[in-house]
Amino acid sequence: QTTNFCSLTKKSNLKIQQQYMLALIKIEWLKLKKYPAFWWMLGIVILTYPGVNLMFSAIFDSMSKGNEMKSQIVKQLLGNPFAFPEVWHSVAYFSSWFVMIPAILVIMIIANEYTYKTNRQNIIDGWTRTQFVTSKLFDVLIIALFTTLAYSMVALCFGFSYSTELEKTRWNEQAQYIPLFLLQTFAQLSIAFLLGFVIKRSFIALGIFLFYSVLVEPLAVGYISNATAFKKVTSFFPLEISDKLVPPAAFIGKFNEETYNQNIKDINIHIAYTCILTAGIWWLCYSLYKKRDL
């Protein structure tokens, strides 16, 4: 009887936790769908991802179409980065350059909680501090999922447009880049969230994130990479850790196959590094908010 009671208690607690999680997701979705900036940023992502890939596909078309000797060499050298199965990798790589667009939204969402004191109102209404941070985690996850969906749709459209009938049968061979892109996006949006969470001012947090992601880290990685003794250190920069999940596309790797093959091998270990870093970021957010004066 005691065993049955414990089993029923565990099932009841699990059901309560599931209801609690679903309630938080529903509340945050209701907030997001009424937030104009969410739809504006989503619209920009929907335009940017196909836009940047269209630009590179146009360059590829101009180089590879025709019967000239140059076109034949390009086809043999590069293959077709926009056909299945390579399209999953190519589109993920080009799309990953624009993580700052959803990052702007993430920073605005958390900064607005402080600007309009809605975080304090949530606590007054009966939320725990843990529930508040968890709700923001769901915000970041929802945005990452929407971004990944946009990437997946773009990759599918390019894949079916550029592939031969034989290549279309291989449409799912490199689909592992979908969860890799999701993890990369969620990890980098978590870094953006941490900045907005700590600084509380969207303009300052956004400026720091863009300055660091566009200038500081790329320049530091490029400079340190030239010093052989310290080259491996660059793999542990905050954004570079998750950037390694989607290394330069295969057609770029053909110019240096040794580096490309090593990058592919490094993906598995960087999945672990990314998960550790992201878990650490959210642990820090939970810890800070429990001690923070509202």
Side-chain angles (χ1 to χ4, degrees), residues 275-292:
C275 290
I276 292 170
L277 175 63
T278 306
I281 287 171
W282 286 102
W283 174 85
L284 181 61
C285 290
Y286 279 102
S287 300
L288 287 175
Y289 200 66
K290 286 179 181 178
K291 300 176 182 178
R292 178 173 279 179

Side-chain angles (χ1 to χ4, degrees), residues 50-223:
V52 66
N53 286 283
L54 278 170
M55 180 180 72
F56 282 103
S57 66
I59 294 172
F60 173 76
D61 287 343
S62 66
M63 295 171 62
S64 62
K65 285 186 176 179
N67 297 319
E68 299 86 355
M69 182 68 70
K70 176 185 173 183
S71 299
Q72 297 302 317
I73 293 173
V74 168
K75 289 177 183 178
Q76 291 178 1
L77 181 64
L78 302 183
N80 190 341
F82 294 98
F84 290 121
E86 290 295 337
V87 66
W88 293 112
H89 188 178
S90 302
V91 174
Y93 175 66
F94 292 131
S95 300
S96 68
W97 296 358
F98 295 92
V99 71
M100 74 281 294
I101 297 174
I104 294 171
L105 178 59
V106 166
I107 290 172
M108 289 173 62
I109 286 172
I110 184 58
N112 284 346
E113 294 281 357
Y114 292 103
T115 300
Y116 299 108
K117 309 295 183 183
T118 49
N119 66 314
R120 183 182 299 176
Q121 187 61 48
N122 286 146
I123 303 302
I124 293 171
D125 290 341
W127 285 30
T128 65
R129 294 179 182 237
T130 298
Q131 286 176 325
F132 175 78
V133 178
T134 302
S135 71
K136 297 302 111 184
L137 187 152
F138 285 140
D139 281 344
V140 177
L141 182 58
I142 288 170
I143 293 168
L145 286 169
F146 267 104
T147 304
T148 304
L149 178 62
Y151 144 70
S152 301
M153 296 303 296
V154 171
L156 283 171
C157 289
F158 273 94
F160 282 109
S161 297
Y162 277 82
S163 300
T164 63
E165 291 303 316
L166 179 61
E167 288 170 334
K168 288 177 183 178
T169 63
R170 304 175 62 195
W171 70 272
N172 62 341
E173 282 189 18
Q174 293 191 30
Q176 73 270 17
Y177 281 100
I178 299 175
L180 288 173
F181 184 85
L182 173 60
L183 179 57
Q184 180 194 55
T185 303
F186 180 71
Q188 297 191 3
L189 293 185
S190 296
I191 294 172
F193 175 86
L194 179 62
L195 279 173
F197 182 77
V198 171
I199 297 172
K200 302 182 185 180
R201 296 290 182 269
S202 58
F203 182 76
I204 298 174
L206 180 58
I208 292 173
F209 181 80
L210 292 177
F211 181 68
Y212 179 80
S213 62
V214 175
L215 288 177
V216 175
E217 186 168 298
L219 289 175
V221 169
Y223 177 77

